[in-house]
Amino acid sequence: MPDNDTAPTYARPGAPPIGVYPVMLETAGWDDYRLLDMGEGQKLEQYGRYTLVRPEPQAMGARRLTPVVWERADAVFSGDVEEEGPGRWRFAGSVSETWDMRYGPVSYRGRFMSFRHVGVFPEQAAHWDWVNAQIRAEKQRAPDRPVKILNLFGYTGLASLLPATAGAQVTHIDASKKAIGYARENQALSGLDDLPIRWICEDAAKFVAREVRRGNTYDGIILDPPKYGRGPKGEVWDLYTSLPGLLKDLETLLAKDALFMILTAYAIRSSFVAIHELMAETLSDRGGRLESGELLIREKDGNRALSTSLFSRWSGR
Ligand SMILES: C[S@@+](CC[C@H](N)C(=O)[O-])C[C@H]1O[C@@H](n2cnc3c(N)ncnc32)[C@H](O)[C@@H]1O
């Protein structure tokens, strides 16, 4: 068989990345996050000192814990059964507006937000750990070389703060002033104000297009785009139509010897194969490895897993 027909020979620049799927990345939780139970269209989770009940259309099976445990929850979000639908929080007793939690060196604040969110997506822990391992390995290989990370649609900043603790220089982009405020609050809460993070409130696609014009590059790119969104000046983000152009620009922003690019997609009617193929097309000249699948959360005391999103992750090394 000719050399270039064997899989390993594709792992070089100038050839498409090796494609691997399905890859299921699991999070079992940590002190401040556990999936306690799920069933009958809802999930019961522990976020720091509070237990919460939220709608979960994928939890179609039976509950394992007793009704008493579910009834003791501190807060229940009720609303549309459709993912990301509007609704409201109902509280069992007196709960504070915000509460503090921790993941490794980073502290972050929970808050009861609209659309059932509480300020953190715990399944992302699988990406946080992997990103930090990549950065640490690179720092060991070339201690003096700065590692520049771009985090798009960065929300409350965990995926910016954690890489910065591993020694990266981070540029964080989000369209919402409020979200940037929460992210900076998390930085202060963590006592990490000295870390080199640029917090920028801007439309992701616009920022990226400008960086392309400036000729800037990054060693790692993380993007967690919503299905629909708006830039600060009303710019429209629609994952299906905006993502291909954004990825094309991001390929230009990836340094020649870049470490990684990670794309996560929530609540879209699609398969991880679709985002895998789009990433493969985007990175078709780079070699390396492209793995795609879903992000899962494993129950605390059960054997069941809950899928939360699709991902596609490229590694240049
Ligand atoms: C919540 S996060 C990540 C996606 C999340 N996992 C979800 O399911 O929606 C989405 C973030 O993208 C931001 N965002 C929305 N549209 C944007 C745009 N055009 N440019 C930059 N950030 C945007 C929002 O402010 C929000 O903080």
Side-chain angles (χ1 to χ4, degrees), residues 212-224:
V212 169
R213 286 197 297 276
R214 287 179 184 138
N216 283 337
T217 60
Y218 292 86
D219 302 297
I221 296 176
I222 302 164
L223 66 156
D224 181 7

Side-chain angles (χ1 to χ4, degrees), residues 10-214:
Y10 286 88
R12 58 180 162 76
I18 295 171
V20 183
Y21 63 73
V23 176
M24 299 293 173
L25 295 180
E26 275 189 38
T27 299
W30 59 96
D31 283 353
D32 277 329
Y33 177 76
R34 303 278 175 206
L35 174 61
L36 301 171
D37 194 14
M38 58 178 165
E40 297 166 31
Q42 290 183 308
K43 59 187 168 186
L44 177 70
E45 299 163 289
Q46 177 221 330
Y47 278 89
R49 63 174 186 261
Y50 293 134
T51 53
L52 316 179
V53 174
R54 299 191 291 167
E56 180 49 76
Q58 293 194 70
M60 290 176 280
R63 296 176 181 184
R64 304 270 165 96
L65 298 178
T66 60
V68 177
V69 179
W70 281 75
E71 282 156 19
R72 276 204 301 258
D74 297 291
V76 178
F77 187 91
S78 50
D80 210 307
V81 281
E82 272 298 307
E83 280 281 336
E84 305 302 307
R88 66 184 184 91
W89 288 99
R90 203 164 25 81
F91 302 105
S94 72
V95 296
S96 52
E97 216 168 281
T98 66
W99 69 103
D100 296 349
M101 295 172 280
R102 223 179 152 75
Y103 188 83
V106 168
S107 297
Y108 55 95
R109 201 148 266 176
R111 41 172 50 87
F112 299 101
M113 309 221 240
S114 53
F115 298 104
R116 85 187 66 178
H117 295 167
V118 289
V120 59
F121 292 88
E123 61 278 6
Q124 291 284 334
H127 286 332
W128 302 335
D129 293 347
W130 186 85
V131 163
N132 277 18
Q134 306 299 305
I135 295 167
R136 288 208 179 92
E138 184 60 12
K139 282 277 165 197
Q140 213 160 24
R141 198 186 65 82
D144 298 329
R145 186 177 170 261
V147 176
K148 287 172 61 190
I149 304 295
L150 176 62
N151 181 22
L152 297 172
F153 309 94
Y155 194 42
T156 54
L158 271 83
S160 294
L161 287 163
L162 284 157
T165 65
Q169 297 175 4
V170 181
T171 302
H172 170 111
I173 308 295
D174 198 283
S176 154
K177 246 191 189 153
K178 223 176 182 177
I180 297 261
Y182 294 155
R184 297 190 82 130
E185 215 176 287
N186 285 338
Q187 182 177 24
L189 189 68
S190 307
L192 297 173
D193 279 331
D194 293 343
L195 290 183
I197 305 176
R198 293 194 296 158
W199 304 104
I200 300 173
C201 181
E202 203 180 338
D203 177 63
K206 248 191 188 166
F207 174 83
V208 167
R210 210 173 44 250
E211 287 290 81
V212 169
R213 286 197 297 276
R214 287 179 184 138

Side-chain angles (χ1 to χ4, degrees), residues 250-271:
L250 289 179
E251 201 281 326
T252 312
L253 283 195
L254 273 179
K256 231 184 179 155
D257 55 350
L259 301 174
F260 61 83
M261 176 147 80
I262 303 179
L263 163 67
T264 314
Y266 286 80
I268 64 166
R269 280 181 210 285
S270 194
S271 149

